[in-house]
mmCIF file of all heavy atoms in Angstrom:
data_model
loop_
_atom_site.group_PDB
_atom_site.id
_atom_site.type_symbol
_atom_site.label_atom_id
_atom_site.label_comp_id
_atom_site.label_asym_id
_atom_site.label_seq_id
_atom_site.Cartn_x
_atom_site.Cartn_y
_atom_site.Cartn_z
ATOM 1 N N ALA A 310 0.923 37.841 -18.632
ATOM 2 C CA ALA A 310 0.297 38.878 -19.496
ATOM 3 C C ALA A 310 0.957 40.299 -19.148
ATOM 4 O O ALA A 310 1.106 40.642 -17.976
ATOM 5 C CB ALA A 310 -1.125 38.908 -19.412
ATOM 6 N N ARG A 311 1.173 41.098 -20.294
ATOM 7 C CA ARG A 311 1.636 42.468 -20.020
ATOM 8 C C ARG A 311 0.379 43.441 -19.950
ATOM 9 O O ARG A 311 -0.476 43.379 -20.941
ATOM 10 C CB ARG A 311 2.572 42.766 -21.197
ATOM 11 C CG ARG A 311 3.289 44.203 -20.930
ATOM 12 C CD ARG A 311 4.529 44.357 -21.911
ATOM 13 N NE ARG A 311 4.137 44.416 -23.310
ATOM 14 C CZ ARG A 311 4.082 45.643 -23.910
ATOM 15 N NH1 ARG A 311 4.320 46.792 -23.251
ATOM 16 N NH2 ARG A 311 3.808 45.738 -25.110
ATOM 17 N N ILE A 313 -1.302 46.941 -20.174
ATOM 18 C CA ILE A 313 -1.136 48.295 -20.751
ATOM 19 C C ILE A 313 -2.101 49.269 -20.154
ATOM 20 O O ILE A 313 -3.307 49.152 -20.096
ATOM 21 C CB ILE A 313 -1.510 48.283 -22.346
ATOM 22 C CG1 ILE A 313 -0.747 47.022 -23.036
ATOM 23 C CG2 ILE A 313 -1.109 49.632 -22.944
ATOM 24 C CD1 ILE A 313 0.750 47.170 -22.928
ATOM 25 N N VAL A 320 2.808 48.450 -28.552
ATOM 26 C CA VAL A 320 2.540 47.034 -28.440
ATOM 27 C C VAL A 320 3.063 46.438 -29.783
ATOM 28 O O VAL A 320 3.131 47.092 -30.749
ATOM 29 C CB VAL A 320 1.050 46.713 -28.338
ATOM 30 C CG1 VAL A 320 0.481 47.280 -26.900
ATOM 31 C CG2 VAL A 320 0.219 47.286 -29.372
ATOM 32 N N PHE A 321 3.406 45.143 -29.808
ATOM 33 C CA PHE A 321 4.014 44.537 -30.825
ATOM 34 C C PHE A 321 3.354 43.364 -31.406
ATOM 35 O O PHE A 321 2.784 42.527 -30.642
ATOM 36 C CB PHE A 321 5.512 44.159 -30.420
ATOM 37 C CG PHE A 321 6.319 45.287 -29.855
ATOM 38 C CD1 PHE A 321 6.303 45.548 -28.514
ATOM 39 C CD2 PHE A 321 7.023 46.039 -30.852
ATOM 40 C CE1 PHE A 321 7.047 46.684 -28.031
ATOM 41 C CE2 PHE A 321 7.729 47.201 -30.395
ATOM 42 C CZ PHE A 321 7.806 47.505 -29.023
ATOM 43 N N GLY A 323 2.477 39.919 -32.543
ATOM 44 C CA GLY A 323 3.070 38.647 -32.052
ATOM 45 C C GLY A 323 2.807 38.529 -30.562
ATOM 46 O O GLY A 323 2.888 37.457 -29.951
ATOM 47 N N GLU A 324 2.571 39.694 -29.837
ATOM 48 C CA GLU A 324 2.405 39.600 -28.399
ATOM 49 C C GLU A 324 1.096 38.855 -28.158
ATOM 50 O O GLU A 324 0.081 39.011 -28.860
ATOM 51 C CB GLU A 324 2.386 40.933 -27.810
ATOM 52 C CG GLU A 324 3.779 41.538 -27.578
ATOM 53 C CD GLU A 324 3.904 42.799 -26.629
ATOM 54 O OE1 GLU A 324 3.635 43.923 -27.088
ATOM 55 O OE2 GLU A 324 4.228 42.566 -25.496
ATOM 56 N N GLU A 325 0.995 38.151 -27.008
ATOM 57 C CA GLU A 325 -0.167 37.433 -26.677
ATOM 58 C C GLU A 325 -0.696 37.864 -25.277
ATOM 59 O O GLU A 325 -0.032 38.267 -24.390
ATOM 60 C CB GLU A 325 0.192 35.957 -26.693
ATOM 61 C CG GLU A 325 0.665 35.277 -28.012
ATOM 62 C CD GLU A 325 1.090 33.918 -27.861
ATOM 63 O OE1 GLU A 325 0.871 33.325 -26.817
ATOM 64 O OE2 GLU A 325 1.795 33.430 -28.838
ATOM 65 N N ASN A 326 -2.051 37.757 -25.078
ATOM 66 C CA ASN A 326 -2.706 37.926 -23.775
ATOM 67 C C ASN A 326 -2.372 39.243 -23.208
ATOM 68 O O ASN A 326 -2.132 39.469 -22.049
ATOM 69 C CB ASN A 326 -2.215 36.927 -22.805
ATOM 70 C CG ASN A 326 -2.651 35.544 -23.192
ATOM 71 O OD1 ASN A 326 -3.850 35.361 -23.664
ATOM 72 N ND2 ASN A 326 -1.802 34.566 -23.072
ATOM 73 N N LEU A 327 -2.279 40.389 -24.127
ATOM 74 C CA LEU A 327 -2.196 41.658 -23.557
ATOM 75 C C LEU A 327 -3.374 42.083 -22.835
ATOM 76 O O LEU A 327 -4.528 41.779 -23.157
ATOM 77 C CB LEU A 327 -1.950 42.722 -24.776
ATOM 78 C CG LEU A 327 -0.721 42.679 -25.477
ATOM 79 C CD1 LEU A 327 -0.682 43.633 -26.613
ATOM 80 C CD2 LEU A 327 0.435 43.089 -24.590
ATOM 81 N N ASN A 328 -3.193 42.687 -21.588
ATOM 82 C CA ASN A 328 -4.199 43.173 -20.588
ATOM 83 C C ASN A 328 -4.356 44.612 -20.699
ATOM 84 O O ASN A 328 -3.270 45.352 -20.420
ATOM 85 C CB ASN A 328 -3.934 42.518 -19.291
ATOM 86 C CG ASN A 328 -4.952 43.086 -18.300
ATOM 87 O OD1 ASN A 328 -4.813 44.044 -17.583
ATOM 88 N ND2 ASN A 328 -6.106 42.249 -18.145
ATOM 89 N N PHE A 329 -5.474 45.125 -20.825
ATOM 90 C CA PHE A 329 -5.693 46.573 -20.836
ATOM 91 C C PHE A 329 -6.395 46.925 -19.435
ATOM 92 O O PHE A 329 -7.444 46.410 -19.195
ATOM 93 C CB PHE A 329 -6.539 47.067 -21.919
ATOM 94 C CG PHE A 329 -5.713 46.883 -23.292
ATOM 95 C CD1 PHE A 329 -5.798 45.797 -23.990
ATOM 96 C CD2 PHE A 329 -4.980 47.932 -23.753
ATOM 97 C CE1 PHE A 329 -5.195 45.554 -25.196
ATOM 98 C CE2 PHE A 329 -4.230 47.772 -25.004
ATOM 99 C CZ PHE A 329 -4.314 46.547 -25.703
ATOM 100 N N PHE A 337 -8.396 52.930 -20.945
ATOM 101 C CA PHE A 337 -8.989 51.868 -21.630
ATOM 102 C C PHE A 337 -10.218 51.310 -20.966
ATOM 103 O O PHE A 337 -10.775 50.248 -21.301
ATOM 104 C CB PHE A 337 -7.926 50.820 -21.910
ATOM 105 C CG PHE A 337 -6.669 51.339 -22.537
ATOM 106 C CD1 PHE A 337 -5.636 51.401 -21.844
ATOM 107 C CD2 PHE A 337 -6.738 51.771 -23.846
ATOM 108 C CE1 PHE A 337 -4.383 51.817 -22.660
ATOM 109 C CE2 PHE A 337 -5.614 52.214 -24.541
ATOM 110 C CZ PHE A 337 -4.455 52.308 -23.929
ATOM 111 N N ALA A 340 -13.248 49.487 -22.805
ATOM 112 C CA ALA A 340 -12.931 49.209 -24.243
ATOM 113 C C ALA A 340 -13.343 47.848 -24.726
ATOM 114 O O ALA A 340 -13.138 46.824 -23.840
ATOM 115 C CB ALA A 340 -11.486 49.338 -24.446
ATOM 116 N N VAL A 341 -14.114 47.701 -25.806
ATOM 117 C CA VAL A 341 -14.452 46.412 -26.361
ATOM 118 C C VAL A 341 -13.737 46.155 -27.601
ATOM 119 O O VAL A 341 -13.690 44.880 -28.066
ATOM 120 C CB VAL A 341 -15.936 46.394 -26.460
ATOM 121 C CG1 VAL A 341 -16.709 46.514 -25.243
ATOM 122 C CG2 VAL A 341 -16.320 47.438 -27.594
ATOM 123 N N GLN A 342 -13.086 47.081 -28.139
ATOM 124 C CA GLN A 342 -12.306 46.902 -29.418
ATOM 125 C C GLN A 342 -11.416 47.957 -29.745
ATOM 126 O O GLN A 342 -11.503 49.012 -29.145
ATOM 127 C CB GLN A 342 -13.159 46.672 -30.575
ATOM 128 C CG GLN A 342 -14.096 47.842 -31.031
ATOM 129 C CD GLN A 342 -15.013 47.584 -32.164
ATOM 130 O OE1 GLN A 342 -15.485 46.406 -32.410
ATOM 131 N NE2 GLN A 342 -15.390 48.646 -32.835
ATOM 132 N N PHE A 343 -10.312 47.624 -30.586
ATOM 133 C CA PHE A 343 -9.453 48.636 -31.043
ATOM 134 C C PHE A 343 -9.539 48.622 -32.600
ATOM 135 O O PHE A 343 -9.562 47.579 -33.188
ATOM 136 C CB PHE A 343 -8.004 48.370 -30.713
ATOM 137 C CG PHE A 343 -7.657 48.590 -29.201
ATOM 138 C CD1 PHE A 343 -8.075 47.672 -28.223
ATOM 139 C CD2 PHE A 343 -7.181 49.793 -28.784
ATOM 140 C CE1 PHE A 343 -7.746 47.912 -26.884
ATOM 141 C CE2 PHE A 343 -6.932 50.035 -27.465
ATOM 142 C CZ PHE A 343 -7.122 49.132 -26.486
ATOM 143 N N VAL A 344 -9.512 49.859 -33.207
ATOM 144 C CA VAL A 344 -9.781 49.893 -34.678
ATOM 145 C C VAL A 344 -8.566 50.734 -35.316
ATOM 146 O O VAL A 344 -7.994 51.717 -34.672
ATOM 147 C CB VAL A 344 -11.057 50.645 -35.128
ATOM 148 C CG1 VAL A 344 -12.300 49.738 -34.600
ATOM 149 C CG2 VAL A 344 -11.205 51.904 -34.558
ATOM 150 N N LYS A 356 -8.990 47.302 -40.007
ATOM 151 C CA LYS A 356 -8.583 46.191 -39.016
ATOM 152 C C LYS A 356 -9.259 46.590 -37.669
ATOM 153 O O LYS A 356 -9.241 47.692 -37.116
ATOM 154 C CB LYS A 356 -7.112 46.168 -38.702
ATOM 155 C CG LYS A 356 -6.619 44.963 -38.006
ATOM 156 C CD LYS A 356 -7.086 43.603 -38.512
ATOM 157 C CE LYS A 356 -6.789 42.444 -37.623
ATOM 158 N NZ LYS A 356 -7.247 41.148 -38.128
ATOM 159 N N THR A 357 -9.814 45.620 -37.147
ATOM 160 C CA THR A 357 -10.522 45.701 -35.781
ATOM 161 C C THR A 357 -9.959 44.560 -34.826
ATOM 162 O O THR A 357 -9.944 43.414 -35.291
ATOM 163 C CB THR A 357 -11.932 45.540 -35.879
ATOM 164 O OG1 THR A 357 -12.637 46.705 -36.594
ATOM 165 C CG2 THR A 357 -12.605 45.712 -34.462
ATOM 166 N N LEU A 358 -9.472 44.863 -33.657
ATOM 167 C CA LEU A 358 -9.016 43.925 -32.733
ATOM 168 C C LEU A 358 -9.993 43.916 -31.504
ATOM 169 O O LEU A 358 -10.333 44.983 -30.839
ATOM 170 C CB LEU A 358 -7.639 44.468 -32.122
ATOM 171 C CG LEU A 358 -6.487 44.496 -33.244
ATOM 172 C CD1 LEU A 358 -5.215 45.066 -32.582
ATOM 173 C CD2 LEU A 358 -6.184 43.131 -33.821
ATOM 174 N N ARG A 359 -10.531 42.677 -31.272
ATOM 175 C CA ARG A 359 -11.535 42.544 -30.197
ATOM 176 C C ARG A 359 -10.939 42.302 -28.861
ATOM 177 O O ARG A 359 -9.897 41.742 -28.725
ATOM 178 C CB ARG A 359 -12.379 41.342 -30.464
ATOM 179 C CG ARG A 359 -13.087 41.285 -31.911
ATOM 180 C CD ARG A 359 -14.010 42.409 -32.045
ATOM 181 N NE ARG A 359 -14.752 42.423 -33.394
ATOM 182 C CZ ARG A 359 -15.434 43.343 -33.858
ATOM 183 N NH1 ARG A 359 -15.880 44.319 -32.963
ATOM 184 N NH2 ARG A 359 -15.983 43.248 -35.002
ATOM 185 N N VAL A 360 -11.525 42.939 -27.805
ATOM 186 C CA VAL A 360 -11.074 42.739 -26.478
ATOM 187 C C VAL A 360 -11.993 41.901 -25.787
ATOM 188 O O VAL A 360 -13.294 42.015 -25.860
ATOM 189 C CB VAL A 360 -11.170 44.037 -25.676
ATOM 190 C CG1 VAL A 360 -10.751 43.935 -24.208
ATOM 191 C CG2 VAL A 360 -10.262 45.118 -26.405
ATOM 192 N N ASN A 361 -11.513 40.703 -25.123
ATOM 193 C CA ASN A 361 -12.364 39.702 -24.546
ATOM 194 C C ASN A 361 -12.841 40.199 -23.128
ATOM 195 O O ASN A 361 -12.619 41.367 -22.742
ATOM 196 C CB ASN A 361 -11.691 38.387 -24.443
ATOM 197 C CG ASN A 361 -10.395 38.501 -23.491
ATOM 198 O OD1 ASN A 361 -10.286 39.362 -22.715
ATOM 199 N ND2 ASN A 361 -9.546 37.463 -23.650
ATOM 200 N N ALA A 362 -13.673 39.309 -22.590
ATOM 201 C CA ALA A 362 -14.353 39.708 -21.332
ATOM 202 C C ALA A 362 -13.362 39.970 -20.269
ATOM 203 O O ALA A 362 -13.688 40.774 -19.270
ATOM 204 C CB ALA A 362 -15.297 38.604 -20.921
ATOM 205 N N GLU A 363 -12.198 39.346 -20.282
ATOM 206 C CA GLU A 363 -11.163 39.632 -19.166
ATOM 207 C C GLU A 363 -10.343 40.975 -19.606
ATOM 208 O O GLU A 363 -9.389 41.289 -18.885
ATOM 209 C CB GLU A 363 -10.192 38.447 -19.196
ATOM 210 C CG GLU A 363 -10.856 37.224 -18.487
ATOM 211 C CD GLU A 363 -11.782 36.524 -19.465
ATOM 212 O OE1 GLU A 363 -11.541 36.587 -20.668
ATOM 213 O OE2 GLU A 363 -12.686 35.896 -18.993
ATOM 214 N N GLY A 364 -10.637 41.667 -20.565
ATOM 215 C CA GLY A 364 -10.011 42.847 -21.006
ATOM 216 C C GLY A 364 -8.711 42.594 -21.753
ATOM 217 O O GLY A 364 -7.722 43.391 -21.667
ATOM 218 N N ASN A 365 -8.592 41.342 -22.356
ATOM 219 C CA ASN A 365 -7.350 40.990 -23.130
ATOM 220 C C ASN A 365 -7.564 40.850 -24.577
ATOM 221 O O ASN A 365 -8.666 40.712 -25.095
ATOM 222 C CB ASN A 365 -6.861 39.582 -22.696
ATOM 223 C CG ASN A 365 -6.545 39.519 -21.292
ATOM 224 O OD1 ASN A 365 -6.167 40.663 -20.592
ATOM 225 N ND2 ASN A 365 -6.530 38.302 -20.629
ATOM 226 N N ILE A 366 -6.407 41.321 -25.365
ATOM 227 C CA ILE A 366 -6.376 40.888 -26.780
ATOM 228 C C ILE A 366 -5.519 39.689 -26.819
ATOM 229 O O ILE A 366 -4.254 39.742 -26.374
ATOM 230 C CB ILE A 366 -5.719 42.049 -27.602
ATOM 231 C CG1 ILE A 366 -6.795 43.267 -27.525
ATOM 232 C CG2 ILE A 366 -5.623 41.559 -29.020
ATOM 233 C CD1 ILE A 366 -6.206 44.450 -28.269
ATOM 234 N N THR A 367 -6.046 38.609 -27.306
ATOM 235 C CA THR A 367 -5.232 37.250 -27.170
ATOM 236 C C THR A 367 -4.031 37.311 -28.002
ATOM 237 O O THR A 367 -2.974 36.655 -27.704
ATOM 238 C CB THR A 367 -6.198 36.100 -27.646
ATOM 239 O OG1 THR A 367 -6.709 36.285 -28.866
ATOM 240 C CG2 THR A 367 -7.367 36.012 -26.666
ATOM 241 N N GLU A 368 -3.965 37.899 -29.258
ATOM 242 C CA GLU A 368 -2.880 37.754 -30.036
ATOM 243 C C GLU A 368 -2.862 38.871 -31.242
ATOM 244 O O GLU A 368 -3.924 39.067 -31.804
ATOM 245 C CB GLU A 368 -2.669 36.394 -30.692
ATOM 246 C CG GLU A 368 -1.387 36.253 -31.572
ATOM 247 C CD GLU A 368 -1.338 34.805 -32.126
ATOM 248 O OE1 GLU A 368 -2.081 33.998 -31.822
ATOM 249 O OE2 GLU A 368 -0.292 34.587 -32.824
ATOM 250 N N PHE A 369 -1.719 39.410 -31.445
ATOM 251 C CA PHE A 369 -1.582 40.328 -32.697
ATOM 252 C C PHE A 369 -0.937 39.454 -33.753
ATOM 253 O O PHE A 369 0.263 38.960 -33.578
ATOM 254 C CB PHE A 369 -0.683 41.550 -32.314
ATOM 255 C CG PHE A 369 -1.328 42.528 -31.469
ATOM 256 C CD1 PHE A 369 -1.013 42.594 -30.086
ATOM 257 C CD2 PHE A 369 -2.187 43.486 -31.971
ATOM 258 C CE1 PHE A 369 -1.645 43.572 -29.289
ATOM 259 C CE2 PHE A 369 -2.748 44.404 -31.133
ATOM 260 C CZ PHE A 369 -2.467 44.401 -29.801
ATOM 261 N N THR A 370 -1.506 39.125 -34.794
ATOM 262 C CA THR A 370 -1.105 38.224 -35.790
ATOM 263 C C THR A 370 -0.246 39.041 -36.870
ATOM 264 O O THR A 370 -0.428 40.189 -37.079
ATOM 265 C CB THR A 370 -2.189 37.448 -36.608
ATOM 266 O OG1 THR A 370 -3.204 38.569 -37.080
ATOM 267 C CG2 THR A 370 -3.004 36.761 -35.572
ATOM 268 N N ILE A 373 -0.984 42.332 -39.937
ATOM 269 C CA ILE A 373 -1.995 43.295 -39.685
ATOM 270 C C ILE A 373 -1.363 44.868 -39.952
ATOM 271 O O ILE A 373 -0.139 44.869 -39.827
ATOM 272 C CB ILE A 373 -2.566 43.289 -38.286
ATOM 273 C CG1 ILE A 373 -1.558 43.677 -37.239
ATOM 274 C CG2 ILE A 373 -3.174 41.814 -38.018
ATOM 275 C CD1 ILE A 373 -2.117 43.662 -35.844
ATOM 276 N N TYR A 378 -3.890 52.545 -33.288
ATOM 277 C CA TYR A 378 -5.233 51.861 -33.107
ATOM 278 C C TYR A 378 -6.065 52.650 -31.965
ATOM 279 O O TYR A 378 -5.385 53.116 -30.892
ATOM 280 C CB TYR A 378 -5.088 50.510 -32.696
ATOM 281 C CG TYR A 378 -4.769 49.484 -33.835
ATOM 282 C CD1 TYR A 378 -3.562 49.478 -34.435
ATOM 283 C CD2 TYR A 378 -5.702 48.605 -34.317
ATOM 284 C CE1 TYR A 378 -3.215 48.672 -35.506
ATOM 285 C CE2 TYR A 378 -5.543 47.779 -35.421
ATOM 286 C CZ TYR A 378 -4.259 47.795 -36.001
ATOM 287 O OH TYR A 378 -3.887 46.962 -37.074
ATOM 288 N N TYR A 379 -7.284 52.879 -32.265
ATOM 289 C CA TYR A 379 -8.161 53.644 -31.482
ATOM 290 C C TYR A 379 -9.078 52.737 -30.508
ATOM 291 O O TYR A 379 -9.775 51.899 -31.194
ATOM 292 C CB TYR A 379 -8.962 54.713 -32.168
ATOM 293 C CG TYR A 379 -8.167 55.801 -32.860
ATOM 294 C CD1 TYR A 379 -7.499 55.476 -34.005
ATOM 295 C CD2 TYR A 379 -8.044 57.088 -32.162
ATOM 296 C CE1 TYR A 379 -6.727 56.469 -34.590
ATOM 297 C CE2 TYR A 379 -7.147 57.987 -32.884
ATOM 298 C CZ TYR A 379 -6.555 57.710 -33.937
ATOM 299 O OH TYR A 379 -5.708 58.659 -34.611
ATOM 300 N N ALA A 380 -9.094 52.922 -29.219
ATOM 301 C CA ALA A 380 -10.065 52.098 -28.276
ATOM 302 C C ALA A 380 -11.378 52.664 -28.440
ATOM 303 O O ALA A 380 -11.698 53.876 -28.717
ATOM 304 C CB ALA A 380 -9.565 52.166 -26.918
ATOM 305 N N ILE A 393 -3.209 52.897 -28.858
ATOM 306 C CA ILE A 393 -2.100 52.136 -28.724
ATOM 307 C C ILE A 393 -1.311 52.258 -30.169
ATOM 308 O O ILE A 393 -1.897 52.532 -31.164
ATOM 309 C CB ILE A 393 -2.340 50.668 -28.465
ATOM 310 C CG1 ILE A 393 -3.202 50.077 -29.490
ATOM 311 C CG2 ILE A 393 -2.846 50.549 -27.007
ATOM 312 C CD1 ILE A 393 -3.568 48.626 -29.218
ATOM 313 N N VAL A 395 0.824 50.115 -32.695
ATOM 314 C CA VAL A 395 1.135 48.692 -32.948
ATOM 315 C C VAL A 395 2.353 48.772 -33.959
ATOM 316 O O VAL A 395 2.473 49.439 -34.910
ATOM 317 C CB VAL A 395 0.036 48.068 -33.706
ATOM 318 C CG1 VAL A 395 0.328 46.637 -34.087
ATOM 319 C CG2 VAL A 395 -1.182 48.031 -32.651
ATOM 320 N N ASP A 495 6.869 35.967 -26.622
ATOM 321 C CA ASP A 495 5.770 35.896 -27.481
ATOM 322 C C ASP A 495 6.166 35.813 -28.944
ATOM 323 O O ASP A 495 5.376 35.511 -29.809
ATOM 324 C CB ASP A 495 4.838 37.067 -27.210
ATOM 325 C CG ASP A 495 4.064 36.966 -25.859
ATOM 326 O OD1 ASP A 495 4.088 35.855 -25.341
ATOM 327 O OD2 ASP A 495 3.449 37.897 -25.498
#
Side-chain angles (χ1 to χ4, degrees):
R311 188 161 70 95
I313 309 298
V320 296
F321 299 94
E324 284 195 275
E325 302 174 8
N326 299 315
L327 285 175
N328 177 267
F329 292 89
F337 304 111
V341 297
Q342 64 183 23
F343 287 85
V344 298
K356 184 63 180 178
T357 299
L358 301 174
R359 305 293 179 184
V360 179
N361 62 20
E363 289 76 29
N365 297 338
I366 296 177
T367 57
E368 183 178 0
F369 289 100
T370 59
I373 67 172
Y378 280 70
Y379 294 81
I393 57 175
V395 176
D495 290 344

